[in-house]
Amino acid sequence: MAEQLTTLGKHFDPMVLKLWELQEKFKSTGASVEIQRTLDEALDLFFKRDRYCEENTSPASPELDMINQMTLTHPWEDLYAQGKTLWSLRPFMLSGCQEGQFLKFLVSMSNAKRVLDIGTYTGYSALACAEALPDDGEVITCEFDPYLENLVKEYTSKSVHGRKISIRIGPALDIINTLANEKQSFDIIFLDANKFQYWEYYQVIMDRDLLAPRGTIVVDNALFFGQVYREIRDKNGEGMKMFNDNVSRDPRVTTVLVPLRDGIRLIRRKEAMLGKERAD
Ligand SMILES: C[S@@+](CC[C@H](N)C(=O)[O-])C[C@H]1O[C@@H](n2cnc3c(N)ncnc32)[C@H](O)[C@@H]1O
């Protein structure tokens, strides 16, 4: 149960939380043995599926594991209380092994050379992408909280792939506008910062050609804890829903939403899906 509770605490699917609520309710109000057993089995099936997927995913590199461990044990609450971080950063923000491997697949399959990682946190996604890039590949990662800069540099430098990563500190929207002024473009753009600004990020990325002609935008938290298909939403949930609706209406792109973890949405320009010769 302790393990289940820990898993539940970070579960992204609201249906799991509803089933768990029901299980707790039945403990006090009672229900037939048959109903309780079926409910227990239903929850167990969720966790078995999660675990099975994890067990059948290649392990992360030791350096990514180190970032994971550090993130889990870092004194985030104390740092925030002491005013050393701008906001209350939490370990569940880290993407983790399964999503990290998914990103690595995308980088490798698309022969990407340049990655833009929007929302660094402790550098997990940045390093995962860097690991799949060629020696002359580059990841630019953007982070708002200055506290994270040295921490990310310290941990990513433990990997030989760390030298491919450069971090820019500031509001992501300003940074991506600067990158557009510099005429930079990227093969993979991973959106993982504040959800209510995703649509603004997207417009700069598409309208100012930050996305290479055959590039892919990878959007994290596309389901945002189920808020996008529920009635109750916070500011980030609203932002995510608006983003999803607008992207679905954008005639320039082809997209797919995959229910991996909290939902990953892939977006490419339509021409990039036609199997033409590389234009760039
Ligand atoms: C979900 S975490 C990123 C996780 C990371 N990509 C990973 O895979 O482990 C989101 C990060 O975005 C940062 N962030 C939030 N708003 C931002 C903004 N406006 N500009 C830049 N970074 C921002 C937060 O400080 C946080 O570190």
Side-chain angles (χ1 to χ4, degrees):
M1 192 62 182
E3 185 206 348
Q4 281 204 349
L5 280 175
T6 320
T7 318
L8 273 165
K10 62 175 186 182
H11 214 288
F12 294 95
D13 188 337
M15 187 162 74
V16 180
L17 298 176
K18 283 280 160 208
L19 287 177
W20 181 65
E21 253 174 60
L22 203 57
Q23 197 183 42
E24 289 298 300
K25 220 173 264 174
F26 284 162
K27 274 186 199 154
S28 49
T29 62
S32 77
V33 174
E34 168 92 35
I35 289 179
Q36 290 202 29
R37 203 192 54 228
T38 310
L39 187 56
D40 289 349
E41 280 171 6
L43 271 167
D44 194 43
L45 284 171
F46 261 113
F47 296 117
K48 279 197 170 125
R49 190 179 70 162
D50 278 0
R51 215 173 300 133
Y52 190 79
C53 291
E54 277 165 24
E55 284 165 7
N56 286 278
T57 296
S58 301
S61 66
E63 292 82 6
L64 283 173
D65 273 345
M66 256 188 261
I67 292 181
N68 193 19
Q69 267 315 310
M70 173 274 284
T71 307
L72 289 173
T73 52
H74 209 64
W76 298 112
E77 281 181 36
D78 295 347
L79 288 165
Y80 181 56
Q82 293 160 17
K84 291 189 178 156
T85 59
L86 293 179
W87 41 53
S88 176
L89 295 157
R90 304 273 170 195
F92 78 85
M93 291 174 161
L94 178 130
S95 47
C97 179
Q98 218 187 351
E99 195 166 348
Q101 289 295 4
F102 191 76
L103 278 173
K104 286 179 78 167
F105 260 81
L106 293 175
V107 171
S108 158
M109 284 159 63
S110 57
N111 293 320
K113 273 204 158 182
R114 308 200 72 238
V115 174
L116 176 60
D117 175 54
I118 303 179
T120 314
Y121 189 29
T122 47
Y124 195 97
S125 50
L127 184 58
C129 290
E131 286 181 354
L133 283 173
D135 281 347
D136 58 348
E138 186 183 9
V139 179
I140 295 181
T141 183
C142 323
E143 173 55 52
F144 190 61
D145 197 323
Y147 173 83
L148 294 167
E149 185 174 11
N150 287 339
L151 191 69
V152 169
K153 284 183 179 161
E154 180 191 338
Y155 275 83
T156 54
S157 67
K158 293 179 197 288
S159 160
V160 289
H161 303 284
R163 60 177 177 72
K164 299 173 198 164
I165 301 172
S166 55
I167 183 166
R168 296 201 183 187
I169 298 293
L173 198 57
D174 292 356
I175 296 170
I176 60 177
N177 268 305
T178 304
L179 293 168
N181 294 342
E182 293 166 3
K183 304 270 177 249
Q184 303 222 26
S185 80
F186 298 88
D187 306 306
I188 298 279
I189 300 181
F190 184 45
L191 283 191
D192 197 15
N194 52 341
K195 316 306 159 195
F196 65 90
Q197 280 194 302
Y198 272 24
W199 179 240
E200 287 179 86
Y201 300 153
Y202 179 84
Q203 290 179 89
V204 178
I205 288 165
M206 293 297 292
D207 299 346
R208 302 199 63 200
D209 289 333
L210 268 181
L211 184 69
R214 296 184 66 81
T216 305
I217 304 174
V218 184
V219 182
D220 198 19
N221 308 102
L223 294 174
F224 203 66
F225 303 91
Q227 288 190 22
V228 290
Y229 54 84
R230 298 181 81 190
E231 300 309 313
I232 310 156
R233 286 181 211 112
D234 61 17
K235 189 180 174 190
N236 283 314
E238 282 298 345
M240 200 68 235
K241 167 94 169 66
M242 190 257 278
F243 171 81
N244 277 340
D245 291 349
N246 288 344
V247 170
S248 297
R249 282 195 293 264
D250 186 345
R252 295 171 293 181
V253 298
T254 302
T255 179
V256 59
L257 203 164
V258 187
L260 168 63
R261 200 166 167 266
D262 196 23
I264 296 188
R265 189 164 189 176
L266 305 181
I267 305 165
R268 300 190 84 196
R269 294 183 201 280
K270 277 201 174 125
E271 310 85 84
M273 300 294 282
L274 295 176
K276 285 184 191 161
E277 289 290 299
R278 277 189 76 114
D280 48 336

